[in-house]
Amino acid sequence: MGNREDLLVGAMRCLFEKGYARTTARDIASAAGVSLAAIGYHYGTKEDLLNAALYQALAEWGDDLGKALAAATRPDATPAEQFEETWTQVLRTFAANERLWAVQFELLAFLGQKPDLKAAFAAANRQGRQGLADLFGVTGETVGAVFQALVGGLAAQWLVDPESTPSGRDLRKALLAIADAVGD
């Protein structure tokens, strides 16, 4: 690897170990085994490097989730079983990516001060909504937004109390109960 790649790996490690706000440029340079000046040369600022590390981590999570979902969903499963299996896989990714979720929640407090990061999160949200709707075989950005709210809410619950986070089956039953309560 070259200095640029080393910096990205070092920034990702610092991001997960220290969080976004507590990571210094010196921390990253030390973790990457490069000079402090390398950050400016390759990324411009520490924030640009941390943002690149975050985007890379999110892309890796998305790729891992896609592979897990493809492997877990049985072609002969009923729609209800597919729904449950899909959410079970989503929940499993929380444990493997706990620090990534913690950093994302930390960053929500800073988005008002970081317009570029806020814009990137907004773009990722729009893309994520469509991806989630497609994943569940439904159409509509609003439906994707509801799935997105479920993912974020479940991640928050899992970070606080993993043992009481609803399972895929629990989610299916809860959504059916909600549909019954509000449906015609």
Side-chain angles (χ1 to χ4, degrees):
M1 284 196 307
N3 283 355
R4 184 173 177 79
E5 294 81 14
D6 291 340
L7 281 166
L8 194 60
V9 170
M12 219 180 296
R13 187 167 53 237
C14 290
L15 195 60
F16 294 156
E17 290 173 5
K18 297 180 140 234
Y20 193 93
R22 292 183 311 278
T23 295
T24 67
R26 209 172 287 289
D27 293 333
I28 297 169
S30 177
V34 301
S35 72
L36 198 55
I39 293 172
Y41 178 78
H42 290 289
Y43 288 93
T45 68
K46 172 194 81 162
E47 287 77 19
D48 289 341
L49 172 54
L50 283 173
N51 293 348
L54 178 63
Y55 303 150
Q56 178 68 35
L58 289 169
E60 289 174 8
W61 173 77
D63 291 345
D64 290 346
L65 178 61
K67 290 175 190 169
L69 293 174
T73 305
R74 296 174 292 119
D76 63 333
T78 66
E81 290 169 334
Q82 287 178 351
F83 181 92
E84 289 179 18
E85 290 171 10
T86 298
W87 281 106
T88 298
Q89 290 305 316
V90 170
L91 293 166
R92 285 186 181 140
T93 69
F94 296 159
N97 298 278
E98 178 179 359
R99 293 302 306 151
L100 175 61
W101 283 101
V103 167
Q104 288 183 84
F105 283 111
E106 173 195 359
L107 284 172
L108 291 176
F110 295 106
L111 290 182
Q113 303 161 16
K114 300 190 176 295
D116 291 347
L117 193 56
K118 185 175 183 174
F121 265 61
N125 275 344
R126 286 188 293 277
Q127 184 179 9
R129 286 181 192 132
Q130 188 57 54
L132 286 166
D134 292 346
L135 179 67
F136 287 96
V138 293
T139 58
E141 185 176 337
T142 304
V143 174
V146 170
F147 285 134
Q148 193 174 50
L150 280 173
V151 171
L154 289 167
Q157 288 181 45
W158 190 91
L159 285 169
V160 173
D161 187 7
E163 300 304 317
S164 69
T165 303
S167 68
R169 174 167 284 158
D170 294 335
L171 288 172
R172 184 181 64 77
K173 288 180 179 179
L175 287 174
L176 288 171
I178 292 167
D180 261 359
V182 300
D184 289 331

